[in-house]
Amino acid sequence: LHYQTTFDILNLSIGSVEAKLQIYDPKGTPTGVFCSPIAPPPSTVSVLLNAGGELHRSTSADLPLLNGWARLTWDQAVELQMTGEVTFISASPQPCLLVCNRSSAEIIASAHIPAVRAAKEFRAAVAITKNRHTALALVNPSDSQAASVQITLRHPSGELYHAFNRRIDPQNRITKYVWVLVQCDLDFCPFPPEPTPEMFHGSVQITSDIPIAVAALDVLFPEGKYVAVPVLAP
């Protein structure tokens, strides 16, 4: 069993653009995730994308597990689109093998997570039940400022359910199930904390004093399937 992430970067402009993809660990240190002959650590991938061009790159399956984040930058005032497909695979890890070359029988779960521009506010739908839990990834892309973040859960009616604060150090990432964030303020907490709500469907509002990035994913139990959750910046 192992994970791989596949990045797809598409140039939507009518001109060429030089793009750079950098991978970081949860503490903001550049790290290696791609096949070494292609991009040795620290895994900065620089590519010239022609008009309508695309980059398709999977992390290498023979490397240690990484719960990190990616930054995409480019040198022109053009529009690029990037998604990261997170895939859970039941097969022997093979160095440099692209996920698209795996058969469907080897893929347990996968979800496409779109890249977002850093902003000071995000909103998303949330589910906290016995069979479905929403997980959040919060990234502070600043290399010098800590982010003070408020996370507010609301009922479908808009009524406040719970609100709490978190600090994210520069270039750090927090990744937790929403219910773990509500119940536990430690770096490591058992999942799921008790008691888990029988049925909660609502929304989450995330605000920060500096721009951050947010992604969301629903995990379905007991199989552990994934469902991508759109995250909107109002």
Side-chain angles (χ1 to χ4, degrees), residues 43-217:
S43 286
T44 298
V45 177
S46 295
V47 60
L48 178 65
L49 294 173
N50 296 322
E54 186 231 19
L55 173 70
H56 182 86
R57 181 69 51 80
S58 295
T59 58
S60 190
D62 63 324
L63 298 174
L65 179 66
L66 174 70
N67 186 17
W69 61 282
R71 186 201 307 268
L72 177 66
T73 56
W74 55 97
D75 65 349
Q76 302 285 341
V78 300
E79 185 176 1
L80 297 185
Q81 175 181 287
M82 183 175 79
T83 60
E85 181 184 358
V86 180
T87 308
F88 189 29
I89 299 169
S90 177
S92 298
Q94 297 185 38
C96 307
L97 180 67
L98 295 176
V99 173
C100 61
N101 291 327
R102 294 277 187 186
S103 73
S104 60
E106 297 175 333
I107 295 177
I108 300 174
S110 67
H112 280 85
I113 308 298
V116 298
R117 293 181 181 271
K120 292 185 176 182
E121 182 179 353
F122 292 91
R123 299 192 183 192
V126 166
I128 308 171
T129 75
K130 286 187 173 182
N131 296 316
R132 181 183 292 248
H133 289 261
T134 301
L136 294 177
L138 312 176
V139 175
N140 176 10
S142 172
D143 59 4
S144 59
Q145 290 182 280
S148 178
V149 180
Q150 182 177 63
I151 303 171
T152 304
L153 293 178
R154 297 187 181 277
H155 291 283
S157 64
E159 181 183 357
L160 176 66
Y161 176 69
H162 190 68
F164 52 98
N165 297 312
R166 291 291 184 271
R167 170 192 165 98
I168 310 176
D169 290 330
Q171 294 196 154
N172 276 216
R173 164 180 163 165
I174 295 176
T175 307
K176 294 184 186 296
Y177 292 97
V178 171
W179 190 239
V180 175
L181 280 170
V182 170
Q183 295 291 309
C184 183
D185 195 22
L186 304 175
D187 289 337
F188 173 78
C189 301
F191 174 79
E194 298 295 342
T196 302
E198 288 287 336
M199 183 66 66
F200 175 83
H201 288 279
S203 65
V204 61
Q205 178 183 14
I206 301 165
T207 58
S208 175
D209 60 340
I210 65 171
I212 62 172
V214 177
L217 186 71

Side-chain angles (χ1 to χ4, degrees), residues 20-31:
K20 183 171 73 172
L21 179 66
Q22 177 66 62
I23 312 299
Y24 299 87
D25 69 14
K27 298 299 183 182
T29 302
T31 189

